[in-house]
Amino acid sequence: MGKARKRTGRALALAAGVLAAGVAAAPAVAQPASLSGTVTPNVAHGNPAPAGAYPFAVKFTMTGIPKPDGTTYDSACSGALVSRQWVVTAAHCFHDVNKKPVSGPPQYKKTTATLGKVDLADKGGHVLDVVDVRQYPNSDVALAKLASPVTDITPIRLARTAPVTGATLRLAGWGATSADGAPATHMQYGDVTVTKRTQYTVLVEGAKPSSDTSACSYDSGAPYFRRTATGPVLVSVESDGPGCPHTGAETTSRIDTIASWIDRNDR
């Protein structure tokens, strides 16, 4: 599948702590995606998600993405179910032929969302078409509408307060497990630490299982969340960063400052 990282395809390959899936705004490199269902045995310093973990985490699969020369490529992104029929992800995952993020039905041949499983070979879960997209105007965030409501998975709650510097967040998703790899077929996860925030972003750095735990190709839109006694709370989604794995800052898009916009649009 097409990959990219800097505002391009991303897929959590926490090469050190890890996850998966993402498209992008920069040119994506055409690459075959592995959809065999084989579990990558040991993601570098990462953790394969155990059965039943993070059912709200979404793997987007995009096929037939148009290029200006008339050819197409395939890619992937991650996201998180925030209501019965809507998934939050990165804005740059859904764009036109010129890589400009756009609202409306995806301009690709087909886009599907997989959720409710930790491995593509698992039975159950859901694979649903994406039928509409709504772009937030000032941040790298979009909402993707599923073809039908999901009633057996609890959507993740949205953060309503600012993230605290030093807080630990968990990243979970689908995607490459190395900078040049294809999207993973088994969900991965890892922990990061909040190092800074701006009006629309949260910067994070790898924490566990390694200091270079980081998002990777095909990972755009992957959820970063707080774990609480009453369930996970979505703090931000993957946006941009250096090549993976890395020990520097990763840029994620903040949720609490746009939660009211999500509330108005995810219905």
Side-chain angles (χ1 to χ4, degrees):
M1 302 191 112
K3 80 170 182 182
R5 178 129 180 176
K6 295 257 187 187
R7 289 287 170 115
T8 86
R10 307 197 58 149
L12 268 193
L14 281 186
V18 44
L19 293 115
V23 166
V29 178
Q31 250 185 356
S34 171
L35 300 177
S36 64
T38 301
V39 178
T40 303
N42 291 302
V43 173
H45 304 147
N47 299 306
Y54 321 125
F56 56 83
V58 173
K59 174 183 174 66
F60 287 114
T61 301
M62 292 88 162
T63 59
I65 302 172
K67 299 171 71 173
D69 63 4
T71 61
T72 63
Y73 65 98
D74 300 335
S75 197
C77 273
S78 280
L81 186 73
V82 293
S83 68
R84 297 302 182 189
Q85 204 167 352
W86 290 88
V87 175
V88 68
T89 187
H92 69 259
C93 287
F94 294 95
H95 54 78
D96 62 16
V97 68
N98 295 311
K99 297 287 186 180
K100 178 182 178 181
V102 291
S103 296
Q107 297 187 18
Y108 313 149
K109 181 178 180 180
K110 189 175 182 65
T111 301
T112 60
T114 299
L115 65 163
K117 59 173 69 180
V118 299
D119 193 282
L120 295 183
D122 292 344
K123 295 181 179 180
H126 302 272
V127 179
L128 298 166
D129 288 344
V130 174
V131 297
D132 192 19
V133 174
R134 296 178 184 176
Q135 298 277 357
Y136 185 77
N138 300 314
S139 182
D140 188 19
V141 175
L143 287 169
K145 186 177 184 179
L146 305 178
S148 59
V150 175
T151 59
D152 59 348
I153 294 175
T154 301
I156 190 170
R157 289 180 294 151
L158 306 179
R160 306 286 175 173
T161 57
V164 177
T165 300
T168 296
L169 304 180
R170 176 151 291 182
L171 170 63
W174 302 82
T177 56
S178 65
D180 297 321
T185 58
H186 191 99
M187 187 194 301
Q188 306 288 312
Y189 72 93
D191 292 344
V192 300
T193 301
V194 174
T195 58
K196 184 180 179 180
R197 71 172 188 259
T198 69
Q199 181 179 2
Y200 291 115
T201 66
V202 180
L203 287 115
V204 300
E205 294 186 6
K208 294 180 181 180
S210 172
S211 61
D212 63 353
T213 289
S214 52
C216 196
S217 300
Y218 312 105
D219 202 34
S220 294
Y224 290 80
F225 53 94
R226 283 197 318 267
R227 291 171 292 159
T228 75
T230 55
V233 176
L234 183 64
V235 173
S236 61
V237 296
E238 176 59 29
S239 179
D240 194 16
C244 63
H246 68 85
T247 56
E250 189 81 14
T251 300
T252 74
S253 297
R254 189 171 164 181
I255 292 299
D256 64 291
T257 54
I258 64 170
S260 60
W261 175 84
I262 294 175
D263 290 340
R264 292 193 302 272
N265 284 272
D266 63 354
R267 59 193 62 181

